[in-house]
mmCIF file with all atom_site columns, all heavy atoms in Angstrom:
data_model
loop_
_atom_site.group_PDB
_atom_site.id
_atom_site.type_symbol
_atom_site.label_atom_id
_atom_site.label_alt_id
_atom_site.label_comp_id
_atom_site.label_asym_id
_atom_site.label_entity_id
_atom_site.label_seq_id
_atom_site.pdbx_PDB_ins_code
_atom_site.Cartn_x
_atom_site.Cartn_y
_atom_site.Cartn_z
_atom_site.occupancy
_atom_site.B_iso_or_equiv
_atom_site.pdbx_formal_charge
_atom_site.auth_seq_id
_atom_site.auth_comp_id
_atom_site.auth_asym_id
_atom_site.auth_atom_id
_atom_site.pdbx_PDB_model_num
ATOM 1   N N   . GLN A 1 57  ? 45.623 23.333 20.556 1.00 91.00 ? 57  GLN A N   1
ATOM 2   C CA  . GLN A 1 57  ? 46.307 23.269 19.246 1.00 91.00 ? 57  GLN A CA  1
ATOM 3   C C   . GLN A 1 57  ? 46.150 24.558 18.687 1.00 91.00 ? 57  GLN A C   1
ATOM 4   O O   . GLN A 1 57  ? 47.126 25.069 17.907 1.00 91.00 ? 57  GLN A O   1
ATOM 5   C CB  . GLN A 1 57  ? 45.760 22.205 18.382 1.00 91.00 ? 57  GLN A CB  1
ATOM 6   C CG  . GLN A 1 57  ? 46.098 20.771 18.791 1.00 91.00 ? 57  GLN A CG  1
ATOM 7   C CD  . GLN A 1 57  ? 45.571 19.633 17.901 1.00 91.00 ? 57  GLN A CD  1
ATOM 8   O OE1 . GLN A 1 57  ? 44.542 19.941 17.277 1.00 91.00 ? 57  GLN A OE1 1
ATOM 9   N NE2 . GLN A 1 57  ? 46.201 18.572 17.826 1.00 91.00 ? 57  GLN A NE2 1
ATOM 10  N N   . TYR A 1 72  ? 42.923 25.327 8.224  1.00 91.00 ? 72  TYR A N   1
ATOM 11  C CA  . TYR A 1 72  ? 43.375 24.467 9.299  1.00 91.00 ? 72  TYR A CA  1
ATOM 12  C C   . TYR A 1 72  ? 42.075 24.295 10.226 1.00 91.00 ? 72  TYR A C   1
ATOM 13  O O   . TYR A 1 72  ? 41.808 23.233 10.537 1.00 91.00 ? 72  TYR A O   1
ATOM 14  C CB  . TYR A 1 72  ? 44.431 25.109 10.071 1.00 91.00 ? 72  TYR A CB  1
ATOM 15  C CG  . TYR A 1 72  ? 44.837 24.383 11.285 1.00 91.00 ? 72  TYR A CG  1
ATOM 16  C CD1 . TYR A 1 72  ? 45.863 23.413 11.208 1.00 91.00 ? 72  TYR A CD1 1
ATOM 17  C CD2 . TYR A 1 72  ? 44.564 24.858 12.640 1.00 91.00 ? 72  TYR A CD2 1
ATOM 18  C CE1 . TYR A 1 72  ? 46.369 22.769 12.371 1.00 91.00 ? 72  TYR A CE1 1
ATOM 19  C CE2 . TYR A 1 72  ? 45.011 24.259 13.737 1.00 91.00 ? 72  TYR A CE2 1
ATOM 20  C CZ  . TYR A 1 72  ? 45.918 23.220 13.672 1.00 91.00 ? 72  TYR A CZ  1
ATOM 21  O OH  . TYR A 1 72  ? 46.312 22.624 14.699 1.00 91.00 ? 72  TYR A OH  1
ATOM 22  N N   . GLY A 1 73  ? 41.425 25.395 10.276 1.00 90.00 ? 73  GLY A N   1
ATOM 23  C CA  . GLY A 1 73  ? 40.046 25.353 11.060 1.00 90.00 ? 73  GLY A CA  1
ATOM 24  C C   . GLY A 1 73  ? 40.143 24.810 12.432 1.00 90.00 ? 73  GLY A C   1
ATOM 25  O O   . GLY A 1 73  ? 41.282 24.773 13.141 1.00 90.00 ? 73  GLY A O   1
ATOM 26  N N   . GLU A 1 112 ? 27.212 8.522  17.826 1.00 87.00 ? 112 GLU A N   1
ATOM 27  C CA  . GLU A 1 112 ? 27.392 7.218  18.543 1.00 87.00 ? 112 GLU A CA  1
ATOM 28  C C   . GLU A 1 112 ? 26.831 6.004  17.828 1.00 87.00 ? 112 GLU A C   1
ATOM 29  O O   . GLU A 1 112 ? 27.439 4.999  17.759 1.00 87.00 ? 112 GLU A O   1
ATOM 30  C CB  . GLU A 1 112 ? 26.664 7.407  19.929 1.00 87.00 ? 112 GLU A CB  1
ATOM 31  C CG  . GLU A 1 112 ? 26.952 6.283  20.817 1.00 87.00 ? 112 GLU A CG  1
ATOM 32  C CD  . GLU A 1 112 ? 26.041 6.308  22.094 1.00 87.00 ? 112 GLU A CD  1
ATOM 33  O OE1 . GLU A 1 112 ? 25.005 6.843  22.066 1.00 87.00 ? 112 GLU A OE1 1
ATOM 34  O OE2 . GLU A 1 112 ? 26.579 5.665  23.083 1.00 87.00 ? 112 GLU A OE2 1
ATOM 35  N N   . MET A 1 116 ? 28.983 1.621  16.265 1.00 91.00 ? 116 MET A N   1
ATOM 36  C CA  . MET A 1 116 ? 28.790 0.146  16.686 1.00 91.00 ? 116 MET A CA  1
ATOM 37  C C   . MET A 1 116 ? 27.445 -0.403 16.073 1.00 91.00 ? 116 MET A C   1
ATOM 38  O O   . MET A 1 116 ? 26.645 0.230  15.513 1.00 91.00 ? 116 MET A O   1
ATOM 39  C CB  . MET A 1 116 ? 28.562 0.037  18.252 1.00 91.00 ? 116 MET A CB  1
ATOM 40  C CG  . MET A 1 116 ? 27.549 0.911  18.838 1.00 91.00 ? 116 MET A CG  1
ATOM 41  S SD  . MET A 1 116 ? 27.496 0.756  20.641 1.00 91.00 ? 116 MET A SD  1
ATOM 42  C CE  . MET A 1 116 ? 26.740 2.299  21.108 1.00 91.00 ? 116 MET A CE  1
ATOM 43  N N   . GLN A 1 117 ? 27.253 -1.741 16.305 1.00 91.00 ? 117 GLN A N   1
ATOM 44  C CA  . GLN A 1 117 ? 26.092 -2.448 15.726 1.00 91.00 ? 117 GLN A CA  1
ATOM 45  C C   . GLN A 1 117 ? 24.857 -2.069 16.504 1.00 91.00 ? 117 GLN A C   1
ATOM 46  O O   . GLN A 1 117 ? 25.023 -1.419 17.690 1.00 91.00 ? 117 GLN A O   1
ATOM 47  C CB  . GLN A 1 117 ? 26.257 -3.937 15.785 1.00 91.00 ? 117 GLN A CB  1
ATOM 48  C CG  . GLN A 1 117 ? 26.656 -4.551 17.095 1.00 91.00 ? 117 GLN A CG  1
ATOM 49  C CD  . GLN A 1 117 ? 27.129 -6.008 16.928 1.00 91.00 ? 117 GLN A CD  1
ATOM 50  O OE1 . GLN A 1 117 ? 26.410 -6.758 16.253 1.00 91.00 ? 117 GLN A OE1 1
ATOM 51  N NE2 . GLN A 1 117 ? 28.055 -6.363 17.682 1.00 91.00 ? 117 GLN A NE2 1
ATOM 52  N N   . ALA A 1 118 ? 23.730 -2.338 16.050 1.00 89.00 ? 118 ALA A N   1
ATOM 53  C CA  . ALA A 1 118 ? 22.477 -1.905 16.723 1.00 89.00 ? 118 ALA A CA  1
ATOM 54  C C   . ALA A 1 118 ? 22.334 -2.707 18.078 1.00 89.00 ? 118 ALA A C   1
ATOM 55  O O   . ALA A 1 118 ? 22.649 -3.782 18.077 1.00 89.00 ? 118 ALA A O   1
ATOM 56  C CB  . ALA A 1 118 ? 21.376 -2.291 15.755 1.00 89.00 ? 118 ALA A CB  1
ATOM 57  N N   . LYS A 1 124 ? 18.542 3.929  25.191 1.00 87.00 ? 124 LYS A N   1
ATOM 58  C CA  . LYS A 1 124 ? 19.363 3.481  26.360 1.00 87.00 ? 124 LYS A CA  1
ATOM 59  C C   . LYS A 1 124 ? 18.362 3.434  27.544 1.00 87.00 ? 124 LYS A C   1
ATOM 60  O O   . LYS A 1 124 ? 17.327 3.825  27.466 1.00 87.00 ? 124 LYS A O   1
ATOM 61  C CB  . LYS A 1 124 ? 20.544 4.309  26.586 1.00 87.00 ? 124 LYS A CB  1
ATOM 62  C CG  . LYS A 1 124 ? 21.485 4.438  25.495 1.00 87.00 ? 124 LYS A CG  1
ATOM 63  C CD  . LYS A 1 124 ? 22.742 5.120  26.007 1.00 87.00 ? 124 LYS A CD  1
ATOM 64  C CE  . LYS A 1 124 ? 23.589 5.339  24.746 1.00 87.00 ? 124 LYS A CE  1
ATOM 65  N NZ  . LYS A 1 124 ? 23.452 6.878  24.352 1.00 87.00 ? 124 LYS A NZ  1
ATOM 66  N N   . ASN A 1 256 ? 6.068  4.942  15.233 1.00 87.00 ? 256 ASN A N   1
ATOM 67  C CA  . ASN A 1 256 ? 6.916  4.481  14.104 1.00 87.00 ? 256 ASN A CA  1
ATOM 68  C C   . ASN A 1 256 ? 6.244  4.729  12.790 1.00 87.00 ? 256 ASN A C   1
ATOM 69  O O   . ASN A 1 256 ? 6.954  5.239  11.881 1.00 87.00 ? 256 ASN A O   1
ATOM 70  C CB  . ASN A 1 256 ? 7.075  3.088  14.376 1.00 87.00 ? 256 ASN A CB  1
ATOM 71  C CG  . ASN A 1 256 ? 8.481  2.627  14.457 1.00 87.00 ? 256 ASN A CG  1
ATOM 72  O OD1 . ASN A 1 256 ? 9.278  3.026  13.561 1.00 87.00 ? 256 ASN A OD1 1
ATOM 73  N ND2 . ASN A 1 256 ? 8.837  1.878  15.512 1.00 87.00 ? 256 ASN A ND2 1
ATOM 74  N N   . SER A 1 261 ? 5.726  7.959  7.777  1.00 89.00 ? 261 SER A N   1
ATOM 75  C CA  . SER A 1 261 ? 4.894  8.639  6.763  1.00 89.00 ? 261 SER A CA  1
ATOM 76  C C   . SER A 1 261 ? 5.157  10.077 6.709  1.00 89.00 ? 261 SER A C   1
ATOM 77  O O   . SER A 1 261 ? 5.137  10.664 5.664  1.00 89.00 ? 261 SER A O   1
ATOM 78  C CB  . SER A 1 261 ? 3.434  8.345  7.169  1.00 89.00 ? 261 SER A CB  1
ATOM 79  O OG  . SER A 1 261 ? 3.152  7.002  7.370  1.00 89.00 ? 261 SER A OG  1
ATOM 80  N N   . GLU A 1 263 ? 7.819  11.709 6.881  1.00 88.00 ? 263 GLU A N   1
ATOM 81  C CA  . GLU A 1 263 ? 8.918  12.046 6.125  1.00 88.00 ? 263 GLU A CA  1
ATOM 82  C C   . GLU A 1 263 ? 8.625  11.682 4.633  1.00 88.00 ? 263 GLU A C   1
ATOM 83  O O   . GLU A 1 263 ? 9.340  12.315 3.699  1.00 88.00 ? 263 GLU A O   1
ATOM 84  C CB  . GLU A 1 263 ? 10.190 11.042 6.540  1.00 88.00 ? 263 GLU A CB  1
ATOM 85  C CG  . GLU A 1 263 ? 11.421 11.839 6.342  1.00 88.00 ? 263 GLU A CG  1
ATOM 86  C CD  . GLU A 1 263 ? 12.790 11.167 6.952  1.00 88.00 ? 263 GLU A CD  1
ATOM 87  O OE1 . GLU A 1 263 ? 12.793 9.985  6.849  1.00 88.00 ? 263 GLU A OE1 1
ATOM 88  O OE2 . GLU A 1 263 ? 13.581 11.939 7.458  1.00 88.00 ? 263 GLU A OE2 1
ATOM 89  N N   . LYS A 1 264 ? 7.608  10.988 4.360  1.00 88.00 ? 264 LYS A N   1
ATOM 90  C CA  . LYS A 1 264 ? 7.219  10.785 2.901  1.00 88.00 ? 264 LYS A CA  1
ATOM 91  C C   . LYS A 1 264 ? 6.345  12.009 2.505  1.00 88.00 ? 264 LYS A C   1
ATOM 92  O O   . LYS A 1 264 ? 6.402  12.351 1.338  1.00 88.00 ? 264 LYS A O   1
ATOM 93  C CB  . LYS A 1 264 ? 6.429  9.538  2.869  1.00 88.00 ? 264 LYS A CB  1
ATOM 94  C CG  . LYS A 1 264 ? 7.358  8.315  2.954  1.00 88.00 ? 264 LYS A CG  1
ATOM 95  C CD  . LYS A 1 264 ? 6.626  6.993  2.309  1.00 88.00 ? 264 LYS A CD  1
ATOM 96  C CE  . LYS A 1 264 ? 7.544  5.833  2.335  1.00 88.00 ? 264 LYS A CE  1
ATOM 97  N NZ  . LYS A 1 264 ? 7.829  5.252  3.661  1.00 88.00 ? 264 LYS A NZ  1
ATOM 98  N N   . TYR B 2 33  ? 3.666  -2.649 5.247  1.00 92.00 ? 33  TYR B N   1
ATOM 99  C CA  . TYR B 2 33  ? 4.158  -1.285 5.280  1.00 92.00 ? 33  TYR B CA  1
ATOM 100 C C   . TYR B 2 33  ? 5.732  -1.213 5.564  1.00 92.00 ? 33  TYR B C   1
ATOM 101 O O   . TYR B 2 33  ? 6.234  -0.406 4.843  1.00 92.00 ? 33  TYR B O   1
ATOM 102 C CB  . TYR B 2 33  ? 3.456  -0.625 6.635  1.00 92.00 ? 33  TYR B CB  1
ATOM 103 C CG  . TYR B 2 33  ? 3.916  0.895  6.744  1.00 92.00 ? 33  TYR B CG  1
ATOM 104 C CD1 . TYR B 2 33  ? 3.115  1.810  6.023  1.00 92.00 ? 33  TYR B CD1 1
ATOM 105 C CD2 . TYR B 2 33  ? 4.691  1.311  7.694  1.00 92.00 ? 33  TYR B CD2 1
ATOM 106 C CE1 . TYR B 2 33  ? 3.359  3.133  6.048  1.00 92.00 ? 33  TYR B CE1 1
ATOM 107 C CE2 . TYR B 2 33  ? 5.056  2.705  7.739  1.00 92.00 ? 33  TYR B CE2 1
ATOM 108 C CZ  . TYR B 2 33  ? 4.294  3.627  6.970  1.00 92.00 ? 33  TYR B CZ  1
ATOM 109 O OH  . TYR B 2 33  ? 4.662  4.966  7.189  1.00 92.00 ? 33  TYR B OH  1
ATOM 110 N N   . ASN B 2 37  ? 8.453  0.225  3.103  1.00 92.00 ? 37  ASN B N   1
ATOM 111 C CA  . ASN B 2 37  ? 9.458  1.223  3.690  1.00 92.00 ? 37  ASN B CA  1
ATOM 112 C C   . ASN B 2 37  ? 10.805 0.755  3.126  1.00 92.00 ? 37  ASN B C   1
ATOM 113 O O   . ASN B 2 37  ? 11.754 1.637  2.644  1.00 92.00 ? 37  ASN B O   1
ATOM 114 C CB  . ASN B 2 37  ? 9.433  1.454  5.122  1.00 92.00 ? 37  ASN B CB  1
ATOM 115 C CG  . ASN B 2 37  ? 8.480  2.464  5.562  1.00 92.00 ? 37  ASN B CG  1
ATOM 116 O OD1 . ASN B 2 37  ? 8.163  3.335  4.813  1.00 92.00 ? 37  ASN B OD1 1
ATOM 117 N ND2 . ASN B 2 37  ? 8.041  2.284  6.826  1.00 92.00 ? 37  ASN B ND2 1
ATOM 118 N N   . GLN B 2 110 ? 21.169 -0.452 9.793  1.00 92.00 ? 110 GLN B N   1
ATOM 119 C CA  . GLN B 2 110 ? 21.868 0.852  9.928  1.00 92.00 ? 110 GLN B CA  1
ATOM 120 C C   . GLN B 2 110 ? 22.125 1.589  8.661  1.00 92.00 ? 110 GLN B C   1
ATOM 121 O O   . GLN B 2 110 ? 23.046 2.499  8.628  1.00 92.00 ? 110 GLN B O   1
ATOM 122 C CB  . GLN B 2 110 ? 23.192 0.447  10.695 1.00 92.00 ? 110 GLN B CB  1
ATOM 123 C CG  . GLN B 2 110 ? 22.987 0.038  12.094 1.00 92.00 ? 110 GLN B CG  1
ATOM 124 C CD  . GLN B 2 110 ? 24.133 -0.360 12.889 1.00 92.00 ? 110 GLN B CD  1
ATOM 125 O OE1 . GLN B 2 110 ? 24.528 -1.514 12.830 1.00 92.00 ? 110 GLN B OE1 1
ATOM 126 N NE2 . GLN B 2 110 ? 24.882 0.631  13.566 1.00 92.00 ? 110 GLN B NE2 1
ATOM 127 N N   . ASN B 2 137 ? 15.415 13.062 9.008  1.00 91.00 ? 137 ASN B N   1
ATOM 128 C CA  . ASN B 2 137 ? 15.074 13.657 10.177 1.00 91.00 ? 137 ASN B CA  1
ATOM 129 C C   . ASN B 2 137 ? 15.623 12.772 11.423 1.00 91.00 ? 137 ASN B C   1
ATOM 130 O O   . ASN B 2 137 ? 15.236 11.600 11.603 1.00 91.00 ? 137 ASN B O   1
ATOM 131 C CB  . ASN B 2 137 ? 13.418 13.687 10.249 1.00 91.00 ? 137 ASN B CB  1
ATOM 132 C CG  . ASN B 2 137 ? 12.898 14.431 11.416 1.00 91.00 ? 137 ASN B CG  1
ATOM 133 O OD1 . ASN B 2 137 ? 13.608 14.428 12.559 1.00 91.00 ? 137 ASN B OD1 1
ATOM 134 N ND2 . ASN B 2 137 ? 11.803 14.900 11.395 1.00 91.00 ? 137 ASN B ND2 1
ATOM 135 N N   . ARG B 2 140 ? 13.150 10.889 13.413 1.00 88.00 ? 140 ARG B N   1
ATOM 136 C CA  . ARG B 2 140 ? 12.641 9.660  12.696 1.00 88.00 ? 140 ARG B CA  1
ATOM 137 C C   . ARG B 2 140 ? 13.612 8.488  12.915 1.00 88.00 ? 140 ARG B C   1
ATOM 138 O O   . ARG B 2 140 ? 13.271 7.474  13.060 1.00 88.00 ? 140 ARG B O   1
ATOM 139 C CB  . ARG B 2 140 ? 12.360 9.966  11.232 1.00 88.00 ? 140 ARG B CB  1
ATOM 140 C CG  . ARG B 2 140 ? 11.358 9.026  10.587 1.00 88.00 ? 140 ARG B CG  1
ATOM 141 C CD  . ARG B 2 140 ? 11.814 7.904  9.657  1.00 88.00 ? 140 ARG B CD  1
ATOM 142 N NE  . ARG B 2 140 ? 12.792 8.469  8.770  1.00 88.00 ? 140 ARG B NE  1
ATOM 143 C CZ  . ARG B 2 140 ? 13.805 7.747  8.194  1.00 88.00 ? 140 ARG B CZ  1
ATOM 144 N NH1 . ARG B 2 140 ? 14.045 6.578  8.628  1.00 88.00 ? 140 ARG B NH1 1
ATOM 145 N NH2 . ARG B 2 140 ? 14.533 8.283  7.387  1.00 88.00 ? 140 ARG B NH2 1
ATOM 146 N N   . GLY B 2 144 ? 13.044 5.305  14.811 1.00 77.00 ? 144 GLY B N   1
ATOM 147 C CA  . GLY B 2 144 ? 13.180 4.003  14.059 1.00 77.00 ? 144 GLY B CA  1
ATOM 148 C C   . GLY B 2 144 ? 12.198 3.873  13.066 1.00 77.00 ? 144 GLY B C   1
ATOM 149 O O   . GLY B 2 144 ? 11.069 4.074  13.140 1.00 77.00 ? 144 GLY B O   1
ATOM 150 N N   . SER B 2 282 ? 27.685 2.318  26.433 1.00 90.00 ? 282 SER B N   1
ATOM 151 C CA  . SER B 2 282 ? 27.952 3.759  26.310 1.00 90.00 ? 282 SER B CA  1
ATOM 152 C C   . SER B 2 282 ? 28.930 4.305  27.456 1.00 90.00 ? 282 SER B C   1
ATOM 153 O O   . SER B 2 282 ? 29.698 5.236  27.193 1.00 90.00 ? 282 SER B O   1
ATOM 154 C CB  . SER B 2 282 ? 26.720 4.570  26.348 1.00 90.00 ? 282 SER B CB  1
ATOM 155 O OG  . SER B 2 282 ? 25.948 4.424  25.130 1.00 90.00 ? 282 SER B OG  1
ATOM 156 N N   . ASP B 2 295 ? 43.776 14.971 14.807 1.00 87.00 ? 295 ASP B N   1
ATOM 157 C CA  . ASP B 2 295 ? 45.184 15.139 14.894 1.00 87.00 ? 295 ASP B CA  1
ATOM 158 C C   . ASP B 2 295 ? 45.911 14.629 13.673 1.00 87.00 ? 295 ASP B C   1
ATOM 159 O O   . ASP B 2 295 ? 46.834 15.340 13.074 1.00 87.00 ? 295 ASP B O   1
ATOM 160 C CB  . ASP B 2 295 ? 45.840 14.520 16.108 1.00 87.00 ? 295 ASP B CB  1
ATOM 161 C CG  . ASP B 2 295 ? 45.353 15.190 17.315 1.00 87.00 ? 295 ASP B CG  1
ATOM 162 O OD1 . ASP B 2 295 ? 44.732 16.349 17.288 1.00 87.00 ? 295 ASP B OD1 1
ATOM 163 O OD2 . ASP B 2 295 ? 45.600 14.670 18.463 1.00 87.00 ? 295 ASP B OD2 1
ATOM 164 N N   . ARG B 2 298 ? 45.274 16.938 10.648 1.00 85.00 ? 298 ARG B N   1
ATOM 165 C CA  . ARG B 2 298 ? 45.760 18.324 10.726 1.00 85.00 ? 298 ARG B CA  1
ATOM 166 C C   . ARG B 2 298 ? 47.147 18.453 11.134 1.00 85.00 ? 298 ARG B C   1
ATOM 167 O O   . ARG B 2 298 ? 48.071 18.663 10.206 1.00 85.00 ? 298 ARG B O   1
ATOM 168 C CB  . ARG B 2 298 ? 44.904 19.127 11.696 1.00 85.00 ? 298 ARG B CB  1
ATOM 169 C CG  . ARG B 2 298 ? 43.432 19.346 11.207 1.00 85.00 ? 298 ARG B CG  1
ATOM 170 C CD  . ARG B 2 298 ? 42.754 20.500 11.814 1.00 85.00 ? 298 ARG B CD  1
ATOM 171 N NE  . ARG B 2 298 ? 43.119 20.552 13.337 1.00 85.00 ? 298 ARG B NE  1
ATOM 172 C CZ  . ARG B 2 298 ? 42.725 21.496 14.134 1.00 85.00 ? 298 ARG B CZ  1
ATOM 173 N NH1 . ARG B 2 298 ? 42.089 22.491 13.545 1.00 85.00 ? 298 ARG B NH1 1
ATOM 174 N NH2 . ARG B 2 298 ? 43.000 21.469 15.423 1.00 85.00 ? 298 ARG B NH2 1
ATOM 175 N N   . ASP B 2 299 ? 47.476 18.396 12.435 1.00 86.00 ? 299 ASP B N   1
ATOM 176 C CA  . ASP B 2 299 ? 48.892 18.637 12.838 1.00 86.00 ? 299 ASP B CA  1
ATOM 177 C C   . ASP B 2 299 ? 49.799 17.638 12.227 1.00 86.00 ? 299 ASP B C   1
ATOM 178 O O   . ASP B 2 299 ? 51.031 18.091 11.888 1.00 86.00 ? 299 ASP B O   1
ATOM 179 C CB  . ASP B 2 299 ? 48.813 18.680 14.436 1.00 86.00 ? 299 ASP B CB  1
ATOM 180 C CG  . ASP B 2 299 ? 48.056 19.846 14.968 1.00 86.00 ? 299 ASP B CG  1
ATOM 181 O OD1 . ASP B 2 299 ? 46.944 20.192 14.353 1.00 86.00 ? 299 ASP B OD1 1
ATOM 182 O OD2 . ASP B 2 299 ? 48.612 20.601 15.755 1.00 86.00 ? 299 ASP B OD2 1
ATOM 183 N N   . ASN B 2 366 ? 31.910 -3.395 19.618 1.00 95.00 ? 366 ASN B N   1
ATOM 184 C CA  . ASN B 2 366 ? 31.095 -4.401 18.881 1.00 95.00 ? 366 ASN B CA  1
ATOM 185 C C   . ASN B 2 366 ? 31.278 -5.725 19.649 1.00 95.00 ? 366 ASN B C   1
ATOM 186 O O   . ASN B 2 366 ? 30.316 -6.459 19.846 1.00 95.00 ? 366 ASN B O   1
ATOM 187 C CB  . ASN B 2 366 ? 31.348 -4.564 17.527 1.00 95.00 ? 366 ASN B CB  1
ATOM 188 C CG  . ASN B 2 366 ? 30.688 -3.478 16.763 1.00 95.00 ? 366 ASN B CG  1
ATOM 189 O OD1 . ASN B 2 366 ? 29.467 -3.159 16.929 1.00 95.00 ? 366 ASN B OD1 1
ATOM 190 N ND2 . ASN B 2 366 ? 31.422 -2.655 15.927 1.00 95.00 ? 366 ASN B ND2 1
ATOM 191 N N   . ASN B 2 383 ? 20.447 -7.795 14.789 1.00 96.00 ? 383 ASN B N   1
ATOM 192 C CA  . ASN B 2 383 ? 21.685 -7.742 14.148 1.00 96.00 ? 383 ASN B CA  1
ATOM 193 C C   . ASN B 2 383 ? 21.764 -8.719 13.015 1.00 96.00 ? 383 ASN B C   1
ATOM 194 O O   . ASN B 2 383 ? 22.357 -8.403 11.899 1.00 96.00 ? 383 ASN B O   1
ATOM 195 C CB  . ASN B 2 383 ? 22.712 -7.705 14.995 1.00 96.00 ? 383 ASN B CB  1
ATOM 196 C CG  . ASN B 2 383 ? 22.991 -6.413 15.688 1.00 96.00 ? 383 ASN B CG  1
ATOM 197 O OD1 . ASN B 2 383 ? 23.372 -5.405 14.996 1.00 96.00 ? 383 ASN B OD1 1
ATOM 198 N ND2 . ASN B 2 383 ? 22.789 -6.283 17.017 1.00 96.00 ? 383 ASN B ND2 1
#
Side-chain angles (χ1 to χ4, degrees):
Chain A
Q57 283 181 337
Y72 178 80
E112 186 190 25
M116 60 181 150
Q117 57 189 315
K124 301 189 189 102
N256 238 308
S261 304
E263 219 176 32
K264 286 195 175 75
Chain B
Y33 185 80
N37 271 337
Q110 290 177 270
N137 187 334
R140 206 253 310 150
S282 291
D295 288 351
R298 292 200 320 173
D299 289 47
N366 282 308
N383 279 295

